[in-house]
Amino acid sequence: MTTSNNKTMKAPGLWARKDSHVVRLLLVMAIWLIFMALTKPTRFYTLINFQTMASQFPEYGLMSLGVMLCMITGGIDLSPVAVANLVSVLMAMLLKELAPDGGLPGYAIPLVFLLGAAMGAALGIMNGILVSKVRIPPILATLGMSELLTGVAIVITGGAAVSKLPMEYATTINSKIAGLVPVQLVIFSVMAVLVWFLLSRTTFGTKLYLLGTNPQAARYSGLNNDRLLILTYMISGIAAALGGLVMLANYNSARANYGSVYVLQCILVVVLGGVSPSGGRGKISGVVLAILLLRMLETGINRFPQISSYYISLIWGGVLLLVMVLDYFSAYRGPRKRKTA
Amino acid sequence: MQKNLKKLTKRSEPYIFLVVLALCLLIEVRSGQFFTANNLVDIASAMVVPGLFAIGTFMVIVSGGIDVSFPALASLTSYATTKILLDAGYTGGIWLPILMSMAMGALLGAFNGVFIGFLGLPAMIVTLGSSSVFKGLMQGALNSVQLTVIPKGMQSFGTSALFVATNPVSGLTSRMPLGFLVFAAVLILSFFIMRYTFFGRGIYAIGGNEVSAHRAGFHTKRTKFLLYVFVGMTASLAGLIRTCMMQQNHPTNMLGMEMNIIAGVVLGGTAITGGAGSLTGCMLGTLLIVIVENSMILIGIPTIWKSVFVGALIIIGTGISAYQVVRANRTGGFKSRIREVKA
Amino acid sequence: MSDILLRASGIHKSFVGVHALKGVSLEIAPGEIHCLAGENGCGKSTLIKIISGVYQPDAGSIEFDGKRLDKITPIDAILLGIQVIYQDFSVFPNLTVMENLALNSELSNKRKVVNWKRMRQIAEEAVAKINFQVDLDALVGTLSVAQKQMVAISRALMFNARLIIMDEPTTALTRKEVQALFKVIMQLKAQGIAILFVSHKLNEVFEISERFTIFRNGELVVTGQTKDLDAAKFSYYMTGRAFSEEQFTATKLGDKPLLEVKNLGLAGAFSDISFSLRSGEILGITGLLDSGRSELALALFGIRQADSGEILIKGKKTAITCPQDAINNGLGLVPEDRLSEGLFLPRSIADNLIIAEVDRLANRFKVFDREKRQEEVDRLMKEFAIASPNANNACQTLSGGNQQRVVLGKWLACGLDILVLNGPTVGVDIGSKHDIHAILQNLAREGMGIIIISDDLPEVIQNCSRVIILKEGKIVQELDAAEATEQAILSKMM
Amino acid sequence: AQDKDWEIVVVPKDASNPWFVRMKVGVDEYAAETGLNVYQKGTPEIDATLQAQLVQDLIAQGVDAICVVPVNPESLEPVLKQAMDAGIVVIAHEGASLENVNYDIEAFSNTGYGAFIMDNLAEAMGEEGLYTTMVAHVTNASHNEWADAGVAHQKEKYPNMTLLADEARVESEDNGDVAYNKAKELFKKYPDLKGIMGTSSYDAPGVARAIDELGLVGKVFTSGTGMPADNKALLESGTVKSLTLWDPALAGKAMIALAVKVLNGEAIEAPIDLAVDGYTALTFKEGSDKVLEGQGWIVINKDNVDSFGF
Ligand SMILES: Nc1ncnc2c1ncn2[C@@H]1O[C@H](COP(=O)(O)OP(=O)(O)OP(=O)(O)O)[C@@H](O)[C@H]1O
Ligand SMILES: Nc1ncnc2c1ncn2[C@@H]1O[C@H](COP(=O)(O)OP(=O)(O)OP(=O)(O)O)[C@@H](O)[C@H]1O
Ligand SMILES: [Mg+2]
Ligand SMILES: [Mg+2]
């Protein structure tokens, strides 16, 4: 091995290659922002507009973070919305219980968040067990769980909304820190930073990527695949539960079927963010960008009364395909992914 | 003989068949209505559209891909066909609508096929994107609304019956729709394609190992492209038949079917990672989902418990066949190994 | 008709960042057995893929049978009579042996419709040619590595091929099978079929080939008659350096056994296996295919679980139910199939190296100590001389030899006491093989206990202080270094 | 005059449902007649969260009035509060329970409407026999209110009718095909079943298809909501005796007219005349100062189905 012709691979090129997807997303976003600046400057570039967007995307943003982790392991999570709704239904009932005649005690909100997250974790663990121990393909395990949990929420509520909650909860989560930063955004940011930290700074992250790349080699390397998967789905469950708690505040009510459109939307966001559905690849920066991009597209389009909101879906799909094709034509076109016989 | 028996227990079809049978018996016990002529015809008729979708989904999953765009594709083509023919005041027979929608289906399938086949982009991403695009085209560009009147030819195709089954006790009658014939024909055709043509064997080969398939001389890109074209055609056919059977076109009510269809196909033992699975299993899995969805009342499951039941069924149903794999894994079977490598 | 069947001249091929072939040429006469050799990554496979139509060359020309080939596809090549047995066999794990065998020929006949009867006939003929016993209805995924390779070989042989290219066909074959293969090759030669044979194994090159070509770093180094070649020259041409293999002798044997295996058994694989391993020694385990050697390795590492007997590590009875148990007890395994079991090809070399010891590079909250991680990566890259400018490059950019070192490095990083290697140098070129042997010998001298499972007899003899011979799941003989000659081992193995 | 600058947006539940397509007709007409900047903007799917976000976007955009038909009143409350806080006039329709609105216009009361659908069903059934109710989803607010009201009305007024206790409420999932399959199942399992009270506009047509196919025309009955043009064939064939509705186009116009009044600072005192058919003498619902009720509902049957022009 004295001869090595690998020297030609320069490090800077590598960097650009690695982040080219993110760069491309940034580019699309920039184009959109410029377009909005040219067409609707006064209706888009306002503080309240950005604050509104920042309070809207955390709902599905949080769920997307969990879906992203699952997709990195080569799996998928179709249950975040069901987890979110079940958690928010139960927490809504708890809130009403805690304040029988208005007036929420001070410990209530932290308690709800703790309990909600714990429930999300428990439900996530169930997903994880089905995927790892029982070995049901993730797409089916989480689809089944999604139906089941939605069903449980319907049975608990009889299908009706849980409403007339003590106002303190919604007003706290809906408030803006220093009159500027929506609390929802803070919750999302904390979770996003946490996931970033997990993925890039901890052994868990490294293991996750490797597990997603080649589960068999992971096993041979002494990783506890089952435990990793259970942990991953657990985190996804927590993220979904937090999403549910934000929804609970945003709508000041809970119901078994809120946000059903988020299931596919989360997957779309995660994939648009550059996470490979076959596992092992994907970065938080891409996913966060995709979450933002999606919100900006949607809000932007809502600024045009004449344009049917149906075009949102067209633009979305178009952007997804465009980014993929750009990736294709500019990417390092190495040999096809090896498949082992 | 012994060997054959052993092989049989390693497959998942027998298990899923037993689950279907058990469910049928449960329904019979609970309602006394399952094994009546009209109910069987009802099930068959409810099977037409999901069945057609499942065939396409099956082929795509065997090739190692996945398609989540077929409901949007079917909605778009059936809406466009119905709308165009209505606007043109078309009064002819069913052939033109079928040809039109299948041609459009082929075109949209080709759209998927170009990205997935020729550019080699991941199927999941492409079809997620194209599903959005199709939906956007239908609702935005075509400005779709519910069409409650459909052209005469489609109307009569939807209502004419192959035969009518009558329940001698209750006197209830059920029509076996002509669409069932179409479904059966497509099923036989697909069976033939998958088993007796090199196009079909190529789909299996690509699902097993795409690089090897290329080296062996399969035109992998072309095969994948044609596959998505074919799937587009079957999906659009399903969409059209659904419109005929419902006697109206509701542009969005097929959207969201994809996950249940995929669940049925995988339930039937098709490896989600590609390469393995049989059309028999696929049909059994789909049948299971169809029966469940159409027998809640017969079983006597209260409406609010429906989701709980369906969810539990998916988990238990897939759990059973997944457990087979775990067992096979212990004895060093290959399915599990494939799964580990490619999962 | 010319007396040259295949003439490739001035072939260039570049991949992004890599100039893989720099104007190489190759000539093969009809009925000739030609050996192509060179270090890992020198461009052999690339040239083969160009000849067989998988890649298009950037420059240069290929003539086959006097006709110039332009822009051919794999199917064109097959139709012309060029058959390739690829390094990774190119089989379909999800299809039956029958289909695997018959698909190519049916496809090359441009058939559109499947005739299962004819397919079976074709398959039967194919296996009969090399007397390969196999259940035609078994799924190829359930076969052993060697059986898969036999499938690939039988598949290639049944064509009316003019040129058969074999990219390292013997890596996974046992001696007996290699002999059978050589017999077939000679038969083919007699029929006027030319063979291009890629191999790292010296003895095979000498045994079978008439002429040879050696590449180094994408360039042609030499081509000529095999009879003019000797071992030293061969390695020198390949690597550009000279070296001699060292016979290992255990110098610092520990007095207590590190590992004791007592009456270990696993139904259907092996039974009643007992041996012990002391620190500082290298134990060889050899046996034919299906002798239970791989299963034994898996059982020691906890991937499979023995159903009788016991394992003692450092005198303590230890239950090994999963790989973590093995690792926690200081035992590691370098697996047989490094692509699917040992490596994370698209991930960075660094990640691949540190994964097994990853928890030690982190604080108790599992957060990486980034400095420590970097130091460790640098140390391993250096210690194992991994040829890559950047540890963050994907592992798949490494050549086979380097990849094997990454797998080794991964285990050695954990500071293990016992290392089991299953086929440590399968498919590795002479240079790298030498380096790996040197590493192993050093490790043993430093006090590690090593088990090499291999059927590469020279490798076993040269490196092991004791050799255990397995046959049909049982130990038939244990030899020490002095007794272990190829002849002695072979006579027990068969 | 000054009100030319008002920007008034109508937010329906979604946009492909014929119901809201019809509403848009009214809205566009109103815009054309008055020259006001009024338009309808809906979400691509019926989804409470999507609708809430659309309304939030409109608030951020600073429109003057929002007229909304809530998918789900509870989930819209906080968002509508934001709108009110931002000084936006909020008018709702089919949202009698809403608090954070200036006014809510009902073509009638929900209970009255439910009772009326029941009256239609009872008439068809001859005021006797077993029946059940169908809603889009058990999670759908107004459908369940109507169904509940219908059942209550039956208990009070039609003692010879009985609600099927085992399946008192089934789901059509807002999907004609599901309604069809559910109806088939119901009739198979419960041979005595004589009527299905539908609520969603997909229910009655789907059920009717099942009745037709099972050979039960004239023996079992359905009633519900539906648009005239869409159900012409069913009504004429006699599978469905009558359907109930109010004209969404008029409801849309009424909402806008009320919004304009509020924006202009006019005093809102009952009875209010919005100069829209059926909304010429709105009165406050008993005990409420927000919910205004009109006389907007219509019965369609085979005799008048052609007379509506939509
Ligand atoms: N698809 C590819 N993309 C990029 N580079 C490649 C590709 N295939 C080969 N290379 C480069 O070409 C060089 C030659 O590779 P090749 O596979 O021909 O080596 P080889 O001689 O077969 O080695 P070995 O003995 O290990 O099989 C390698 O160094 C590698 O960097
Ligand atoms: N995706 C890739 N990117 C860059 N180089 C690659 C890639 N795949 C393969 N190569 C190069 O191809 C060369 C040969 O790799 P290959 O996979 O053929 O293994 P190998 O060297 O032939 O293994 P063996 O040790 O069995 O001979 C390597 O030098 C490697 O650098
Ligand atoms: Mg090699
Ligand atoms: Mg090679």
Side-chain angles (χ1 to χ4, degrees):
Chain A
M1 277 290 120
T2 44
T3 55
S4 158
N5 46 18
N6 286 341
K7 295 235 160 55
T8 34
M9 285 190 200
K10 280 172 255 121
L14 201 72
W15 182 86
R17 183 187 311 150
K18 265 187 169 167
D19 281 340
S20 59
H21 189 86
V22 172
V23 172
R24 235 159 271 137
L25 283 176
L26 276 172
L27 206 73
V28 174
M29 188 181 279
I31 291 173
W32 183 250
L33 286 175
I34 292 170
F35 174 74
M36 288 312 294
L38 293 179
T39 52
K40 297 269 167 185
T42 53
R43 301 205 118 189
F44 192 81
Y45 289 94
T46 57
L47 179 61
I48 175 167
N49 189 35
F50 279 87
Q51 284 173 334
T52 303
M53 290 195 283
S55 66
Q56 287 172 333
F57 73 74
E59 288 177 12
Y60 65 85
L62 282 163
M63 297 176 200
S64 304
L65 293 179
V67 175
M68 165 191 181
L69 291 180
C70 298
M71 215 182 260
I72 287 176
T73 68
I76 198 163
D77 189 352
L78 298 177
S79 70
V81 173
V83 169
N85 282 326
L86 182 57
V87 167
S88 80
V89 159
L90 289 173
M91 291 307 118
M93 292 173 148
L94 178 68
L95 281 173
K96 290 180 85 164
E97 211 52 45
L98 287 175
D101 16 61
L104 209 54
Y107 63 82
I109 294 180
L111 178 70
V112 160
F113 266 77
L114 270 177
L115 269 180
M119 266 192 63
L123 298 174
I125 288 175
M126 283 165 72
N127 271 329
I129 288 176
L130 291 179
V131 169
S132 65
K133 300 281 185 202
V134 190
R135 293 184 152 252
I136 302 179
I139 195 168
L140 281 178
T142 56
L143 179 75
M145 278 293 280
S146 171
E147 279 281 342
L148 186 72
L149 300 181
T150 307
V152 171
I154 290 179
V155 169
I156 291 174
T157 59
V162 184
S163 56
K164 309 250 168 2
L165 307 181
M167 282 311 287
E168 290 92 332
Y169 179 78
T171 42
T172 310
I173 309 294
N174 272 325
S175 65
K176 300 187 177 64
I177 292 175
L180 209 65
V181 185
V183 176
Q184 296 101 321
L185 178 65
V186 175
I187 298 174
F188 172 78
S189 307
V190 168
M191 192 69 198
V193 169
L194 216 72
V195 170
W196 167 79
F197 188 80
L198 269 179
L199 283 180
S200 60
R201 289 285 184 272
T202 67
T203 61
F204 174 75
T206 302
K207 290 176 181 175
L208 210 60
Y209 280 115
L210 296 195
L211 170 67
T213 307
N214 183 345
Q216 177 137 351
R219 184 151 168 251
Y220 273 85
S221 302
L223 302 192
N224 191 336
N225 291 5
D226 289 0
R227 215 182 67 188
L228 279 172
L229 284 174
I230 293 174
L231 265 173
T232 307
Y233 283 87
M234 180 187 92
I235 298 173
S236 181
I238 294 176
L242 292 180
L245 292 173
V246 170
M247 274 165 67
L248 180 59
N250 281 356
Y251 307 121
N252 201 25
S253 60
R255 186 168 234 168
N257 70 342
Y258 280 174
S260 342
V261 288
Y262 288 158
V263 182
L264 278 183
Q265 186 165 322
C266 286
I267 296 169
L268 200 62
V269 161
V270 170
V271 167
L272 182 62
V275 180
S276 157
S278 48
R281 208 152 45 83
K283 295 176 127 190
I284 184 95
S285 51
V287 173
V288 170
L289 267 178
I291 294 171
L292 296 178
L293 179 61
L294 189 65
R295 190 63 245 163
M296 290 184 183
L297 281 175
E298 202 159 332
T299 297
I301 294 218
N302 281 341
R303 291 291 172 277
F304 294 89
Q306 322 78 13
I307 298 185
S308 145
S309 16
Y310 294 136
Y311 284 110
I312 292 174
S313 139
L314 187 70
I315 291 178
W316 255 38
V319 167
L320 180 62
L321 290 176
L322 178 79
V323 170
M324 288 308 298
V325 170
L326 284 179
D327 273 358
Y328 173 81
F329 280 110
S330 58
Y332 166 58
R333 290 174 55 187
R336 265 180 256 190
K337 212 171 142 186
R338 279 172 202 254
K339 278 199 180 178
T340 30
Chain B
M1 182 61 212
Q2 193 110 50
K3 206 168 126 192
N4 283 344
L5 208 67
K6 214 169 154 192
K7 262 189 190 153
L8 204 62
T9 59
K10 273 195 180 162
R11 311 187 59 119
S12 49
E13 288 93 339
Y15 293 90
I16 183 86
F17 178 75
L18 288 178
V19 174
V20 171
L21 199 67
L23 185 68
C24 296
L25 290 174
L26 173 73
I27 300 169
E28 180 66 27
V29 168
R30 300 277 301 173
S31 70
Q33 290 291 321
F34 189 82
F35 294 104
T36 57
N38 66 321
N39 185 60
L40 294 177
V41 167
D42 286 346
I43 299 276
S45 134
M47 180 79 187
V48 172
V49 172
L52 280 170
F53 282 145
I55 292 170
T57 302
F58 165 75
M59 289 166 82
V60 164
I61 293 183
V62 167
S63 81
I66 195 151
D67 185 356
V68 295
S69 72
F70 62 86
L73 186 149
S75 304
L76 173 54
T77 55
S78 65
Y79 181 79
T81 306
T82 317
K83 179 83 178 138
I84 291 171
L85 292 178
L86 273 180
D87 289 351
Y90 176 75
T91 53
I94 187 67
W95 288 110
L96 184 64
I98 286 189
L99 286 180
M100 250 178 87
S101 67
M102 282 178 72
M104 280 188 260
L107 195 72
L108 300 185
F111 180 82
N112 281 335
V114 166
F115 288 111
I116 299 169
F118 290 119
L119 300 192
L121 299 179
M124 169 95 158
I125 303 183
V126 171
T127 54
L128 263 176
S130 64
S131 154
S132 273
V133 169
F134 297 161
K135 210 166 70 181
L137 280 178
M138 175 177 71
Q139 299 187 306
L142 299 185
N143 210 346
S144 64
V145 294
Q146 191 186 355
L147 303 172
T148 45
V149 180
I150 58 174
K152 273 271 160 339
M154 289 169 63
Q155 215 167 25
S156 60
F157 176 79
T159 46
S160 44
L162 216 50
F163 60 86
V164 175
T166 310
N167 185 331
V169 184
S170 63
L172 295 180
T173 54
S174 284
R175 277 196 294 264
M176 180 64 103
L178 275 184
F180 191 81
L181 215 55
V182 178
F183 164 57
V186 173
L187 184 60
I188 292 166
L189 177 72
S190 315
F191 180 81
F192 179 80
I193 288 179
M194 291 306 274
R195 182 144 183 87
Y196 291 105
T197 71
F198 279 96
F199 172 68
R201 298 324 286 173
I203 291 172
Y204 276 100
I206 291 171
N209 187 338
E210 187 171 343
V211 177
S212 307
H214 179 61
R215 289 174 183 164
F218 285 109
H219 300 276
T220 51
K221 292 182 174 185
R222 197 169 74 194
T223 303
K224 285 206 280 182
F225 173 79
L226 290 177
L227 170 63
Y228 284 90
V229 172
F230 181 80
V231 170
M233 287 164 67
T234 52
S236 57
L237 189 60
L240 188 83
I241 290 180
R242 184 175 165 102
T243 302
C244 296
M245 284 170 63
M246 283 180 71
Q247 300 287 296
Q248 52 168 275
N249 185 288
H250 188 281
T252 56
N253 82 6
M254 274 185 283
L255 303 180
M257 277 177 88
E258 61 272 14
M259 284 306 164
N260 269 357
I261 300 286
I262 293 171
V265 172
V266 177
L267 203 60
T270 309
I272 190 93
T273 46
S278 73
L279 211 44
T280 319
C282 156
M283 282 300 118
L284 282 171
T286 311
L287 183 64
L288 182 61
I289 299 267
V290 167
I291 293 183
V292 169
E293 279 182 347
N294 289 296
S295 303
M296 287 295 159
I297 294 175
L298 291 183
I299 306 176
I301 302 208
T303 304
I304 61 165
W305 285 89
K306 187 197 89 174
S307 292
V308 173
F309 185 78
V310 172
L313 187 101
I314 292 179
I315 292 172
I316 294 167
T318 46
I320 289 175
S321 57
Y323 178 71
Q324 287 312 113
V325 176
V326 176
R327 263 195 1 189
N329 191 26
R330 269 195 220 124
T331 51
F334 111 96
K335 246 194 194 162
S336 54
R337 276 164 57 191
I338 302 270
R339 236 178 77 169
E340 287 231 348
V341 176
K342 297 205 294 181
Chain C
M1 284 261 106
S2 67
D3 53 349
I4 295 296
L5 180 67
L6 176 93
R7 174 183 283 133
S9 37
I11 304 284
H12 281 269
K13 179 73 188 174
S14 291
F15 299 103
V16 181
V18 187
H19 197 162
L21 293 175
K22 305 167 186 163
V24 296
S25 304
L26 179 70
E27 282 180 0
I28 301 172
E32 172 186 57
I33 302 177
H34 194 109
C35 178
L36 178 61
E39 287 195 298
N40 293 131
C42 69
K44 305 178 298 284
S45 299
T46 307
L47 180 65
I48 290 171
K49 286 175 191 161
I50 287 175
I51 296 173
S52 63
V54 173
Y55 293 155
Q56 304 296 329
D58 299 337
S61 67
I62 304 214
E63 275 172 42
F64 188 76
D65 208 7
K67 282 191 297 283
R68 205 188 139 115
L69 308 184
D70 269 320
K71 291 221 165 204
I72 56 163
T73 64
I75 198 85
D76 296 335
I78 292 171
L79 290 173
L80 283 165
I82 301 173
Q83 269 294 321
V84 186
I85 299 166
Y86 290 95
Q87 217 169 339
D88 59 6
F89 318 149
S90 265
V91 289
F92 302 103
N94 57 324
L95 302 181
T96 61
V97 173
M98 169 175 60
E99 246 189 296
N100 267 281
L101 288 171
L103 269 179
N104 292 33
S105 86
E106 292 291 272
L107 279 172
S108 66
N109 286 329
K110 294 208 186 295
R111 295 213 200 276
K112 300 279 183 242
V113 175
V114 183
N115 178 338
W116 288 100
K117 241 193 207 153
R118 188 175 56 222
M119 298 257 285
R120 180 170 296 272
Q121 251 172 25
I122 294 172
E124 275 165 358
E125 278 167 29
V127 291
K129 247 187 200 158
I130 52 170
N131 204 6
F132 169 41
Q133 308 284 336
V134 69
D135 174 8
L136 286 181
D137 294 316
L139 292 179
V140 164
T142 61
L143 301 184
S144 70
V145 181
Q147 282 174 316
K148 281 181 198 157
Q149 187 155 22
M150 291 306 279
V151 170
I153 292 171
S154 342
R155 181 174 66 187
L157 294 186
M158 70 202 180
F159 276 87
N160 297 325
R162 316 270 314 273
L163 169 65
I164 295 181
I165 302 174
M166 302 185 180
D167 196 352
E168 297 181 46
T170 58
T171 38
L173 296 192
T174 55
R175 206 150 253 277
K176 197 162 129 194
E177 288 153 336
V178 171
Q179 291 309 325
L181 176 67
F182 282 0
K183 242 189 31 251
V184 177
I185 290 180
M186 295 313 289
Q187 274 172 25
L188 295 169
K189 177 185 162 59
Q191 296 165 25
I193 298 172
I195 312 280
L196 176 60
F197 190 88
V198 179
S199 177
H200 295 301
K201 293 185 187 166
L202 257 182
N203 51 349
E204 288 174 1
V205 174
F206 289 124
E207 190 174 341
I208 192 84
S209 73
E210 299 156 289
R211 294 201 320 128
F212 72 95
T213 297
I214 293 179
F215 286 177
R216 194 195 307 154
N217 202 3
E219 287 169 282
L220 179 84
V221 177
V222 62
T223 176
Q225 303 285 323
T226 311
K227 61 179 180 336
D228 301 334
L229 201 62
D230 64 31
K233 269 192 199 158
F234 184 73
S235 356
Y236 181 74
Y237 283 140
M238 272 175 66
T239 60
R241 58 182 170 150
F243 40 64
S244 58
E245 288 280 352
E246 213 178 315
Q247 172 67 42
F248 174 74
T249 39
T251 45
K252 232 176 43 192
L253 270 183
D255 25 277
K256 290 218 186 77
L258 261 180
L259 170 75
E260 284 169 280
V261 172
K262 290 186 178 160
N263 307 98
L264 209 62
L266 174 60
F270 56 80
S271 61
D272 205 19
I273 302 285
S274 304
F275 63 84
S276 72
L277 174 74
R278 287 194 284 175
S279 70
E281 77 172 334
I282 303 181
L283 172 67
I285 297 182
T286 185
L288 290 179
L289 191 77
D290 289 339
S291 58
R293 48 175 216 224
S294 295
E295 287 82 356
L296 179 58
L298 295 183
L300 290 176
F301 190 56
I303 299 250
R304 314 255 329 240
Q305 279 161 52
D307 38 37
S308 61
E310 56 191 40
I311 297 173
L312 283 78
I313 291 179
K314 291 189 193 144
K316 227 175 66 210
K317 193 177 161 201
T318 317
I320 297 183
T321 56
C322 59
Q324 291 93 296
D325 288 346
I327 293 165
N328 292 338
N329 284 295
L331 189 152
L333 170 75
V334 177
E336 192 176 13
D337 179 350
R338 77 176 166 269
L339 289 190
S340 71
E341 293 164 351
L343 288 172
F344 306 90
L345 289 170
R347 302 302 305 178
S348 70
I349 300 168
D351 280 351
N352 271 282
L353 278 170
I354 58 158
I355 185 61
E357 58 159 346
V358 70
D359 288 323
R360 283 200 323 197
L361 305 176
N363 66 17
R364 69 202 156 91
F365 301 110
K366 308 271 186 205
V367 177
F368 272 119
D369 180 335
R370 302 175 78 193
E371 234 167 73
K372 209 156 131 192
R373 180 179 183 277
Q374 193 54 47
E375 274 168 20
E376 181 69 3
V377 169
D378 291 343
R379 180 179 78 81
L380 293 169
M381 291 289 285
K382 218 165 109 201
E383 193 169 326
F384 293 95
I386 291 161
S388 176
N390 188 340
N392 291 324
N393 283 352
C395 198
Q396 65 197 2
T397 61
L398 291 176
S399 73
N402 276 296
Q403 287 179 355
Q404 185 73 336
R405 284 188 231 192
V406 171
V407 181
L408 257 181
K410 165 168 87 180
W411 287 118
L412 299 179
C414 318
L416 299 170
D417 305 316
I418 307 163
L419 186 62
V420 182
L421 303 103
N422 196 0
T425 57
V426 168
V428 171
D429 69 49
I430 312 182
S432 305
K433 195 167 171 178
H434 173 80
D435 296 345
I436 288 172
H437 289 161
I439 291 171
L440 292 179
Q441 296 190 4
N442 256 336
L443 288 169
R445 284 192 198 101
E446 282 163 19
M448 190 181 262
I450 294 177
I451 300 179
I452 293 180
I453 299 178
S454 172
D455 56 6
D456 181 345
L457 295 188
E459 171 174 272
V460 171
I461 291 165
Q462 193 184 18
N463 293 293
C464 300
S465 36
R466 274 186 307 138
V467 180
I468 287 173
I469 301 161
L470 286 185
K471 186 176 174 183
E472 286 159 10
K474 290 202 166 58
I475 296 182
V476 286
Q477 181 84 43
E478 184 171 332
L479 302 168
D480 61 31
E483 310 161 315
T485 61
E486 287 205 32
Q487 213 34 57
I489 298 177
L490 273 176
S491 64
K492 290 292 176 188
M493 233 162 92
M494 296 293 185
Chain D
Q2 56 158 94
D3 59 22
K4 289 288 177 215
D5 300 338
W6 302 134
E7 178 173 3
I8 301 173
V9 190
V10 176
V11 179
K13 290 189 194 176
D14 87 327
S16 69
N17 192 315
W19 193 262
F20 297 107
V21 174
R22 173 68 190 162
M23 183 174 282
K24 188 164 185 301
V25 172
V27 173
D28 292 346
E29 256 175 44
Y30 195 96
E33 283 164 14
T34 61
L36 279 179
N37 181 15
V38 201
Y39 55 91
Q40 175 167 326
K41 186 144 188 83
T43 55
E45 279 167 67
I46 298 196
D47 184 275
T49 44
L50 283 181
Q51 192 185 39
Q53 288 172 6
L54 175 59
V55 173
Q56 279 178 332
D57 276 350
L58 294 172
I59 299 169
Q61 215 178 124
V63 299
D64 299 292
I66 295 173
C67 302
V68 61
V69 187
V71 171
N72 193 345
E74 293 90 347
S75 63
L76 215 51
E77 279 297 6
V79 182
L80 294 182
K81 183 166 186 312
Q82 288 167 20
M84 301 277 288
D85 291 349
I88 295 171
V89 170
V90 178
I91 308 289
H93 173 56
E94 285 190 65
S97 63
L98 287 172
E99 286 167 11
N100 293 298
V101 292
N102 292 71
Y103 295 101
D104 174 79
I105 300 183
E106 298 295 307
F108 41 73
S109 69
N110 269 334
T111 37
Y113 189 65
F116 189 66
I117 299 178
M118 177 51 70
D119 284 336
N120 282 319
L121 182 68
E123 189 194 331
M125 287 170 66
E127 300 192 7
E128 55 141 42
L130 197 60
Y131 76 98
T132 186
T133 59
M134 181 178 274
V135 294
H137 292 276
V138 290
T139 50
N140 182 303
S142 50
H143 290 176
N144 284 288
E145 258 178 69
W146 299 345
D148 289 341
V151 172
H153 186 65
Q154 169 269 317
K155 294 223 162 92
E156 199 176 295
K157 230 183 122 189
Y158 305 110
N160 294 333
M161 287 172 66
T162 27
L163 179 65
L164 176 62
D166 287 347
E167 296 285 348
R169 190 143 310 168
V170 297
E171 286 182 324
S172 70
E173 298 171 17
D174 246 334
N175 183 332
D177 200 45
V178 176
Y180 160 79
N181 282 317
K182 287 284 170 221
K184 281 214 280 194
E185 258 189 87
L186 280 170
F187 292 127
K188 268 183 278 190
K189 176 134 186 205
Y190 304 101
D192 297 336
L193 189 65
K194 203 172 164 194
I196 296 178
M197 169 184 170
T199 51
S200 139
S201 56
Y202 299 109
D203 297 353
V207 174
R209 215 177 108 218
I211 294 178
D212 184 43
E213 184 184 324
L214 293 169
L216 293 172
V217 180
K219 293 183 209 148
V220 304
F221 308 90
T222 184
S223 70
T225 314
M227 307 283 286
D230 303 348
N231 295 291
K232 190 162 172 279
L234 284 175
L235 290 163
E236 284 175 349
S237 72
T239 317
V240 180
K241 284 251 159 58
S242 58
L243 291 170
T244 322
L245 82 154
W246 65 101
D247 183 354
L250 298 180
K253 282 188 188 178
M255 281 196 285
I256 305 169
L258 185 59
V260 172
K261 270 193 196 300
V262 177
L263 283 171
N264 283 336
E266 290 175 33
I268 308 293
E269 279 160 10
I272 304 155
D273 180 1
L274 294 177
V276 176
D277 274 355
Y279 303 86
T280 47
L282 290 170
T283 53
F284 282 105
K285 182 181 172 183
E286 244 182 70
S288 166
D289 59 352
K290 289 205 161 129
V291 182
L292 289 161
E293 294 177 344
Q295 303 78 33
W297 79 57
I298 319 167
V299 181
I300 51 171
N301 50 40
K302 69 166 178 281
D303 303 320
N304 68 359
V305 67
D306 286 321
S307 62
F308 295 94
F310 65 92

